[in-house]
Amino acid sequence: MSFTLTSTAFGNGGEIPRRYTCDAADLSPALTWSGTPAETQSLALIADDPDAPVGTWTHWLIWNIPAKATLLPEDTPKIELLDNGARQGRNDFQRIGYGGPCPPPGKAHRYFFKLYALDARLDLKPGAGKGELERAIKPHILAETQWMGTYKR
């Protein structure tokens, strides 16, 4: 069984609805996954926009998602430590948790939600940045999957 990520909020490659952007409620979309490798100890998610004018813009960092979990619910709380033990980092808006698409007017940007199955839990403090998270997960990746949406203003 392959490791797959999906969302009921928008189709893969489809337009992200306004409710998940800075132009509306800025809610995180519901994400679900299946096929997590048996040896997984935790999961991590990085959501970013490689089309931002300043370079790749980080929208969401979350790690130590329990290995048995199969979803992140819509409107995941924007706090450092979630009830299930997952930790969230600081996005490029300098806030904890999800920050939705907020591109400048013009062409559509792509937003990648990348999920990683890891062979360890990470000893990384809540509030960490993308570089710290990427360095921490690199030696522990068992599998990865992604879902992509677009948004333009």
Side-chain angles (χ1 to χ4, degrees):
M1 186 155 112
S2 65
F3 187 40
T4 57
L5 177 65
T6 61
S7 179
T8 55
F10 56 93
N12 193 24
E15 187 175 340
I16 297 171
R18 278 178 55 101
R19 70 184 277 127
Y20 305 109
T21 76
C22 72
D23 293 324
D26 208 22
L27 304 176
S28 62
L31 299 170
T32 58
W33 55 89
S34 61
T36 305
E39 54 278 5
T40 301
Q41 296 297 307
S42 71
L43 298 128
L45 179 91
I46 297 174
D48 58 24
D49 167 11
D51 302 319
V54 296
T56 301
W57 188 267
T58 302
H59 287 266
W60 197 9
L61 302 169
I62 183 168
W63 63 93
N64 286 351
I65 300 165
K68 299 227 182 292
T70 58
L71 68 95
L72 283 170
E74 180 178 271
D75 197 19
T76 295
K78 297 175 183 182
I79 55 177
E80 289 185 339
L81 187 60
L82 298 174
D83 290 344
N84 66 3
R87 298 175 179 181
Q88 296 192 88
R90 189 166 304 282
N91 59 39
D92 281 341
F93 297 109
Q94 297 307 308
R95 296 191 300 259
I96 298 298
Y98 177 81
C102 200
K107 71 177 187 69
H109 285 217
R110 298 167 299 153
Y111 297 88
F112 290 90
F113 293 79
K114 298 172 280 193
L115 185 67
Y116 302 89
L118 308 175
D119 67 2
R121 287 185 52 82
L122 303 177
D123 185 25
L124 191 60
K125 293 187 183 337
K130 183 180 180 184
E132 294 168 279
L133 179 56
E134 287 178 331
R135 284 188 295 279
I137 69 174
K138 191 173 185 177
H140 299 289
I141 297 171
L142 297 169
E144 60 185 276
T145 183
Q146 69 180 20
W147 193 256
M148 188 272 290
T150 64
Y151 187 70
K152 75 175 188 172
R153 298 164 93 189

